Amino acid sequence: VFAGVMSNMASEIGYVLLVPLAGLIFQAAGRHPILGMAAAFAGVSGGYSANLLIGTIDPLLAGLSQEAARIVDPSYTVTPVANWYFMAVSTPWITLLGWFVTEKIVAPRFPERPTQQFTAESADQQRVTDAERRGLRYAGVATLAFTALVVWSTLPPGSAPGAGFLRDPDTGDLLHSPLLSGVVAIIFLYGVATGIAYGIGARTIRSDADVIKGMSQSMSTLGGYLVLVFFAAQFVAFFNWTQLGLVLAVNGAGALQELGLPAVPLFVGFILLTASVNLFMGSASAKWALMAPVFVPMFMLLGYSPELTQVAYRVGDSVTNIISPMMSYFALIIAFFQRYEPKAGIGTLIATMLPYSVVFLLGWSLLFAIWLGFGLPIGPEAPLDYVPAARAAGG
């Protein structure tokens, strides 16, 4: 489960790599492979918003939240680390919840060996070759070297020759610096460096043409995402132009003020709404592109920060991923299940993952309520309350 949560740092690689690998690991340990795949899938998809580090989804959602916040406050800034504290604490919490559901609820349903098992021949094909081991060593060295470079670039200026070039050049700050504004490019370079190093070590990359060919194959799947981002940007721009988002926010904020709901039940209701919408619309970014221009200004007018609204959205968006047939990798997970249980289908997957979804929803909402009750910051310079700039300047 923990590996699944952490895999989200590299976007959605966990669906393709970690879930089938978990099945093999559990089978080798004498456990039912579907149990391992369920645990990994729960971490990858159900814990999609939790992580100890910043991933590719953080700057994406922060950008949408920032544009939505500027409907009310044109100077408002949402940083990629706006939810870091809450998501880092959520990581061990989701790991424990996932372990509990796996062992106490799901495991009793899969006590026997799978219907189909790998033969000795197919098991031999899964073994790591000498070339692959060499590639892994090369990739490990590249990762350590690149990490050392990033650490050196964030050291205080003057502490080492040339250090600190990714800090803010004027203030030396890290929160508003090239490091965070370019975090997507840094994650990309991590992947490029380790991928090329592995290919050189494993002898699968012999020239620059092999690198270009591999990149071309990866980029060929990006067309749909670019189309999605284009229309999401147009949607947000039209909301700003028509002022429709502001009108809906003012009317909605007025209605919520009349209800007089405290912060906890108000945001728990928003989490439930997001979780319900997620059953019919799987993409986190596309859904937030539609919801942010309405709910971020609405909660700002009620005195709650965009960062708090975003973190509540991320909780609701994650917990029902694993039971949503609209989730883009749902069919792929069914195919993984069918490698061991040929009769597995949508019902099998939903029935297996439903306990995770319910426990994650209850447990994560409880953590959110406790966090809100103690008034803890959800990220660096990310308060729970929103104070308009004019009022803050006037005291």
Side-chain angles (χ1 to χ4, degrees):
V1 178
F2 176 75
V5 172
M6 292 302 297
S7 72
N8 296 320
M9 178 184 61
S11 189
E12 299 173 347
I13 190 64
Y15 291 103
V16 180
L17 177 64
L18 188 62
V19 174
L21 180 62
L24 293 172
I25 292 173
F26 267 59
Q27 184 179 24
R31 306 292 298 275
H32 201 293
I34 286 185
L35 187 63
M37 289 192 288
F41 185 38
V44 172
S45 196
Y48 185 70
S49 288
N51 211 297
L52 296 177
L53 302 171
I54 302 302
T56 54
I57 190 65
D58 293 277
L60 177 59
L61 295 183
L64 294 171
S65 299
Q66 177 173 289
E67 292 304 312
R70 289 182 175 180
I71 295 176
V72 173
D73 187 343
S75 63
Y76 202 91
T77 301
V78 179
T79 68
V81 293
N83 301 149
W84 186 25
Y85 295 162
F86 183 81
M87 292 306 161
V89 173
S90 296
T91 300
W93 180 237
I94 289 298
T95 301
L96 289 173
L97 293 177
W99 162 80
F100 174 81
V101 174
T102 301
E103 290 294 350
K104 304 302 181 182
I105 302 177
V106 179
R109 294 183 51 202
F110 298 98
E112 301 176 356
R113 287 287 187 176
T115 302
Q116 290 188 358
Q117 298 186 42
F118 285 126
T119 64
E121 181 182 355
S122 62
D124 289 337
Q125 293 174 355
Q126 301 294 328
R127 298 184 187 280
V128 180
T129 65
D130 291 338
E132 290 168 340
R133 289 193 182 92
R134 185 171 56 251
L136 289 173
R137 288 196 297 269
Y138 278 46
V141 172
T143 301
L144 291 175
F146 196 88
T147 301
L149 177 63
V150 172
V151 171
W152 174 57
S153 70
T154 59
L155 292 174
S159 59
F165 60 87
L166 284 184
R167 287 177 173 264
D168 186 285
D170 298 322
T171 64
D173 186 26
L174 272 178
L175 186 59
H176 304 283
S177 66
L179 174 69
L180 288 185
S181 62
V183 66
V184 174
I186 292 173
I187 294 174
F188 165 76
L189 291 175
Y190 256 111
V192 170
T194 55
I196 292 177
Y198 175 86
I200 293 174
R203 303 290 193 269
T204 57
I205 292 180
R206 300 182 181 276
S207 67
D208 57 341
D210 294 327
V211 176
I212 299 302
K213 181 180 178 181
M215 284 185 164
S216 299
Q217 291 175 346
S218 298
M219 292 295 291
S220 65
T221 62
L222 199 59
Y225 177 74
L226 293 176
V227 172
L228 170 65
V229 170
F230 171 78
F231 284 104
Q234 300 306 310
F235 184 85
V236 173
F238 276 122
F239 251 77
N240 288 330
W241 179 66
T242 62
Q243 299 295 305
L244 183 59
L246 185 59
V247 171
L248 293 174
V250 170
N251 291 335
L256 290 175
Q257 281 179 331
E258 292 179 1
L259 292 175
L261 291 176
V264 171
L266 182 65
F267 276 98
V268 168
F270 178 60
I271 290 173
L272 291 173
L273 172 64
T274 304
S276 301
V277 174
N278 191 47
L279 292 173
F280 306 98
M281 187 176 184
S283 172
S285 54
K287 193 160 58 268
W288 191 227
L290 295 173
M291 298 176 67
V294 176
F295 287 100
V296 169
M298 182 186 300
F299 284 117
M300 287 177 72
L301 295 175
L302 290 174
Y304 301 110
S305 69
E307 293 89 346
L308 181 60
T309 306
Q310 178 179 287
V311 81
Y313 165 79
R314 296 181 70 173
V315 171
D317 173 66
S318 294
V319 294
T320 52
N321 274 337
I322 47 182
I323 59 171
S324 173
M326 297 295 105
M327 199 269 293
S328 55
Y329 290 94
F330 202 80
L332 179 64
I333 305 302
I334 293 176
F336 290 152
F337 274 35
Q338 288 175 342
R339 296 175 65 181
Y340 302 97
E341 298 293 343
K343 295 182 179 180
I346 294 178
T348 304
L349 181 54
I350 293 179
T352 303
M353 304 309 300
L354 185 59
Y356 291 101
S357 186
V358 173
V359 172
F360 282 5
L361 175 61
L362 296 176
W364 221 340
S365 298
L366 176 62
L367 178 64
F368 182 86
I370 293 173
W371 201 282
L372 204 56
F374 280 97
L376 302 173
I378 51 180
E381 295 186 15
L384 303 182
D385 301 323
Y386 168 69
V387 179
R391 194 181 356 156

